[in-house]
Amino acid sequence: MTSSTNVLLIGTGGVGTIVAYGINYVGKANISVVVRRDYDKVSKEGYEIHSCDYGDIKGWKPDNIFPNVEAAASNQYDFVIVTTKNLPDIVKVEDLIDPVVTPQKTTVVLMQNGFDLGRPIIAKYPKNVCISGVSHIGSHNTNGVIHQTQKDKSLISYFENPNLTKEEQETKTKEFISIYSNEKNNCTYFPDAKWYRYRKLVYNATLNTVAALTRVDTGRLDFSGGLEAVSIPAMREVISIAKADGVELPEDVINLVVHSDDGDWFKPSMLVDIEKGNPIELEVILGNLLVVAKELKVETPILSLVYQLLKVVQFKLKEDKGIIDPLPEKRPISDKFYS
Amino acid sequence: MTSSTNVLLIGTGGVGTIVAYGINYVGKANISVVVRRDYDKVSKEGYEIHSCDYGDIKGWKPDNIFPNVEAAASNQYDFVIVTTKNLPDIVKVEDLIDPVVTPQKTTVVLMQNGFDLGRPIIAKYPKNVCISGVSHIGSHNTNGVIHQTQKDKSLISYFENPNLTKEEQETKTKEFISIYSNEKNNCTYFPDAKWYRYRKLVYNATLNTVAALTRVDTGRLDFSGGLEAVSIPAMREVISIAKADGVELPEDVINLVVHSDDGDWFKPSMLVDIEKGNPIELEVILGNLLVVAKELKVETPILSLVYQLLKVVQFKLKEDKGIIDPLPEKRPISDKFYS
């Protein structure tokens, strides 16, 4: 279709493809996508999608398909949506999107897991709006075929940019919703991104991380005593940071979070990543939170230690993926004196 | 051979078999052994041993071979040597040896890894001597064949029993050395078991545990930052507990411990256990230390958290081995309120 609004989406996995399809379905914007691994297949055959929202689709093609971000830079974009995993210790989103962000024009939409994701974007693009999308979709890309099993439900707000007025940020956010929200999905404006991201962290920084470190699901974490000994005290640290940051979480938030996996032996995302040998979203789930804790002088003995331990795990995950330089066969001897 | 000194050894793995053979080699005591898994083979064919200390041996049989501890209870023993892994959360040594310990007579010899191992033995057998053996042997039992690759070097002392005089404890300890020490091995009296066990813990409670938890060798622990962020601060906690317990460790102990694996990508015992799916010696390496820390009111934020995390790991190891009751297929819903 032809439209004056140009949208680029980077990261056409299970989530990103459904977002791109949803924008195409609304029909108010041109939708371009960056497809790396499946570029040849998608540019020839289009997407095969089995969606609980949109039904069975074969051969769908976005308006433009690019093999990488550089190739997409031939156009200018009103919105650049990032639906990749957020791994700043491997690829920084603000650098990834550099070729396709026009200063003062392009709105950056981060539909990603994690906390305080807007900070590096706003630092690098101080006059651009940065939107926060929290998606509750269940959707997976299996060998290039998209299977969406849980409805596309998303809460959209913006990461506060002090260089811009609230009005222009809110307007852009609502404009984004208007090109994406349709009668098949559930895309709503949520006024307080910060509150919502803190609320999610009560789970993610404490149950997701500790389950990953100990390699058990959240049910076994409870049965083995780790929930009460580690995760719940860690939740109290998250609540303290939020409070120091002006965010008041519900009084019963710990109880709500603990019971959120009731009835399931549930494996959170970081545990699934570790089991697959994939790097974990440690920096955006825990590292960014600890930066804020430090700025606000909140003590975080448990979260800090869990973070340091998971950094070791992340090192090994990266080594096994060949993301860091290979280690020498013989361990080098350091002459450092430790005390 | 016939002798008035009766010795029973429980746990004829790589270490235990060489200890039993060494006692037989000296020839001052009758040596009986409890052999569980390999009972049929050993009672028929004897042991096959390839030893850097004693050479190649085929068909060696101890004086008596029993399939379990109960069967061994037909005799009375002067010494009962335990060379099993020490896993009090699965089997308590003081209960295991109950059928073969004669009160006021049998000296219990614990040739095992860990800290404060004598406490439950002395509590249950208050008038018996309890000897501490720290072995530096390298020896493995592979399908019933013993391969000893590193010399049998052991330091023998006793766990202080306040109900007995120093003299009788020292006498028994030296008597044990006299039936075991020979010109092929290196078995010496070490006057201060407590000091030595604390010294070992500076490594075991901090590098062994953290390597196990993060599943990397000690070299990668260093490279990834975990050594400086977690293990070294944990070493300072061990040193503080020792100090409060009247034990002064060398000033450069941290440096010595950090450099003890220099040149090697070394996997400590708990990591090896986890990789093999075996339960870890968590309670005797870390749990017992934390009991003492609590009694002495020493703060241990890092060690305590590492312990709680490894308890979760241990739960899963036991579950996978079928040591605990199977969990229900559907996770039971608790109605507990968490805050």
Side-chain angles (χ1 to χ4, degrees):
Chain A
M1 66 146 301
T2 326
S3 154
S4 56
T5 305
N6 273 326
V7 179
L8 177 70
L9 183 139
I10 303 170
T12 53
V15 179
T17 305
I18 297 299
V19 173
Y21 189 84
I23 290 170
N24 177 78
Y25 182 89
V26 174
K28 291 186 188 162
N30 287 303
I31 177 78
S32 303
V33 299
V34 172
V35 186
R36 268 167 293 198
R37 201 191 52 194
D38 300 328
Y39 176 76
D40 285 340
K41 184 171 186 277
V42 170
S43 48
K44 261 187 229 150
E45 303 165 24
Y47 279 100
E48 180 177 342
I49 301 173
H50 301 277
S51 161
C52 59
D53 285 338
Y54 302 104
D56 293 328
I57 298 140
K58 225 168 167 173
W60 174 65
K61 288 187 186 179
D63 297 304
N64 296 294
I65 303 169
F66 299 107
N68 53 55
V69 178
E70 288 69 25
S74 48
N75 293 345
Q76 279 208 354
Y77 299 97
D78 300 288
F79 294 94
V80 167
I81 308 169
V82 187
T83 46
T84 60
K85 278 175 75 174
N86 196 322
L87 300 163
D89 49 333
I90 299 171
V91 177
K92 293 192 194 311
V93 171
E94 64 273 26
D95 298 336
L96 172 75
I97 62 177
D98 189 72
V100 289
V101 171
T102 309
Q104 302 190 52
K105 172 184 165 81
T106 307
T107 295
V108 178
V109 183
L110 303 179
M111 299 201 75
Q112 298 178 303
N113 217 347
F115 178 74
D116 205 17
L117 304 180
R119 185 192 293 229
I121 309 294
I122 292 165
K124 184 156 180 173
Y125 310 104
K127 297 285 192 180
N128 294 49
V129 175
C130 185
I131 289 179
S132 159
V134 175
S135 175
H136 293 262
I137 195 173
S139 184
H140 299 277
N141 180 343
T142 312
N143 302 318
V145 178
I146 307 297
H147 293 269
Q148 184 200 351
T149 53
Q150 271 173 46
K151 286 194 73 62
D152 180 10
K153 179 176 177 235
S154 57
L155 298 174
I156 313 293
S157 44
Y158 57 89
F159 294 107
E160 268 177 55
N161 183 339
N163 312 304
L164 303 175
T165 64
K166 275 183 182 297
E167 288 65 36
E168 58 186 316
Q169 296 180 80
E170 207 176 302
T171 303
K172 273 287 173 205
T173 304
K174 291 188 171 166
E175 189 187 329
F176 175 69
I177 293 172
S178 78
I179 63 163
Y180 173 35
S181 172
N182 60 53
E183 79 275 11
K184 305 279 188 181
N185 65 18
N186 182 345
C187 169
T188 48
Y189 182 67
F190 189 86
D192 195 344
K194 196 163 131 183
W195 184 95
Y196 197 75
R197 297 259 175 189
Y198 267 116
R199 174 63 182 77
K200 278 201 87 175
L201 275 190
V202 182
Y203 185 101
N204 273 329
T206 67
L207 282 169
N208 200 347
T209 54
V210 177
L213 185 55
T214 56
R215 308 199 187 192
V216 298
D217 56 66
T218 53
R220 283 170 173 80
L221 192 63
D222 178 5
F223 265 65
S224 63
L227 170 71
E228 295 214 44
V230 184
S231 293
I232 289 180
M235 288 178 199
R236 294 195 194 104
E237 293 182 2
V238 177
I239 294 167
S240 297
I241 304 165
K243 196 165 193 169
D245 203 6
V247 171
E248 202 70 49
L249 292 168
E251 255 192 53
D252 60 346
V253 66
I254 289 178
N255 191 56
L256 289 171
V257 166
V258 168
H259 284 294
S260 61
D261 294 339
D262 268 358
D264 292 321
W265 304 105
F266 182 75
K267 292 185 176 182
S269 63
M270 288 174 114
L271 175 60
V272 172
D273 279 331
I274 286 179
E275 289 186 345
K276 287 186 179 168
N278 289 331
I280 49 177
E281 293 187 305
L282 175 62
E283 293 304 327
V284 295
I285 285 177
L286 195 44
N288 287 357
L289 177 67
L290 294 175
V291 169
V292 172
K294 203 173 170 189
E295 288 169 353
L296 299 171
K297 298 189 174 53
V298 179
E299 297 282 315
T300 54
I302 296 170
L303 292 173
S304 294
L305 192 59
V306 169
Y307 172 71
Q308 294 295 347
L309 291 164
L310 282 173
K311 266 182 79 167
V312 178
V313 174
Q314 179 82 322
F315 176 88
K316 187 70 169 54
L317 289 166
K318 287 192 217 170
E319 184 194 358
D320 291 346
K321 280 270 177 196
I323 294 171
I324 57 171
D325 290 338
L327 297 176
E329 202 173 314
K330 194 172 163 61
R331 178 180 171 194
I333 294 178
S334 113
D335 54 4
K336 186 167 170 185
F337 185 88
Y338 293 90
S339 62
Chain B
M1 65 147 305
T2 325
S3 154
S4 57
T5 303
N6 274 326
V7 179
L8 177 70
L9 183 140
I10 302 170
T12 53
V15 179
T17 305
I18 297 299
V19 174
Y21 189 84
I23 290 170
N24 177 77
Y25 183 88
V26 174
K28 291 186 189 161
N30 288 302
I31 177 77
S32 304
V33 299
V34 172
V35 186
R36 267 167 294 198
R37 202 190 50 194
D38 300 330
Y39 176 74
D40 286 339
K41 184 169 186 281
V42 170
S43 48
K44 261 186 229 149
E45 304 165 24
Y47 279 99
E48 180 177 342
I49 301 173
H50 301 277
S51 160
C52 59
D53 284 339
Y54 301 104
D56 293 328
I57 298 140
K58 225 170 167 170
W60 173 65
K61 286 187 187 179
D63 298 305
N64 297 293
I65 302 169
F66 299 107
N68 52 56
V69 178
E70 288 68 25
S74 46
N75 292 344
Q76 279 209 355
Y77 299 97
D78 300 288
F79 293 94
V80 167
I81 308 169
V82 188
T83 47
T84 59
K85 278 176 75 174
N86 196 322
L87 299 164
D89 49 334
I90 298 172
V91 178
K92 292 190 195 310
V93 172
E94 64 273 25
D95 298 335
L96 172 74
I97 62 178
D98 188 72
V100 290
V101 171
T102 310
Q104 301 191 52
K105 173 185 165 80
T106 308
T107 295
V108 177
V109 183
L110 303 179
M111 299 199 74
Q112 299 178 302
N113 216 348
F115 178 76
D116 205 17
L117 305 179
R119 183 190 293 229
I121 309 293
I122 293 166
K124 183 156 181 174
Y125 311 104
K127 297 285 192 179
N128 293 49
V129 175
C130 185
I131 289 180
S132 159
V134 176
S135 175
H136 293 264
I137 196 173
S139 185
H140 298 276
N141 180 343
T142 312
N143 301 320
V145 178
I146 307 296
H147 293 269
Q148 184 200 352
T149 53
Q150 271 174 46
K151 286 193 72 63
D152 180 10
K153 180 177 177 234
S154 56
L155 299 174
I156 313 291
S157 43
Y158 57 88
F159 294 106
E160 270 177 55
N161 182 339
N163 312 303
L164 304 174
T165 66
K166 275 185 182 296
E167 290 65 35
E168 57 186 318
Q169 296 181 78
E170 207 176 301
T171 304
K172 274 289 173 203
T173 305
K174 290 185 172 168
E175 190 188 330
F176 175 69
I177 294 172
S178 78
I179 63 163
Y180 172 36
S181 173
N182 60 53
E183 79 275 11
K184 304 280 189 182
N185 65 18
N186 183 344
C187 168
T188 49
Y189 181 67
F190 189 87
D192 195 344
K194 195 162 130 182
W195 184 93
Y196 197 75
R197 297 260 176 188
Y198 266 117
R199 174 64 182 75
K200 278 201 86 176
L201 275 191
V202 182
Y203 185 101
N204 272 329
T206 67
L207 281 169
N208 200 346
T209 52
V210 177
L213 185 55
T214 56
R215 309 202 185 188
V216 299
D217 57 66
T218 54
R220 283 171 173 81
L221 192 63
D222 179 5
F223 265 65
S224 63
L227 170 71
E228 295 214 44
V230 183
S231 293
I232 290 181
M235 287 178 199
R236 296 195 194 105
E237 293 182 0
V238 177
I239 294 166
S240 298
I241 304 165
K243 196 165 194 169
D245 203 6
V247 171
E248 201 70 49
L249 293 168
E251 254 192 52
D252 60 346
V253 66
I254 289 178
N255 192 55
L256 290 171
V257 166
V258 168
H259 284 294
S260 61
D261 295 339
D262 267 359
D264 293 321
W265 304 105
F266 181 75
K267 291 185 178 183
S269 63
M270 289 173 113
L271 175 59
V272 173
D273 278 332
I274 286 179
E275 288 186 346
K276 287 185 178 167
N278 289 331
I280 50 177
E281 293 188 303
L282 175 63
E283 292 305 325
V284 295
I285 286 176
L286 195 44
N288 287 356
L289 177 67
L290 293 175
V291 169
V292 172
K294 203 173 172 189
E295 288 169 355
L296 300 171
K297 297 189 174 55
V298 179
E299 298 280 316
T300 55
I302 296 171
L303 292 173
S304 295
L305 191 59
V306 169
Y307 172 71
Q308 293 296 346
L309 291 164
L310 282 173
K311 267 183 78 168
V312 178
V313 174
Q314 179 83 323
F315 175 89
K316 187 70 169 52
L317 289 165
K318 288 193 218 169
E319 184 194 358
D320 291 347
K321 279 270 177 196
I323 295 171
I324 55 171
D325 290 337
L327 296 176
E329 202 172 312
K330 194 172 162 65
R331 179 180 172 195
I333 294 178
S334 113
D335 54 4
K336 187 168 168 183
F337 185 88
Y338 293 90
S339 61

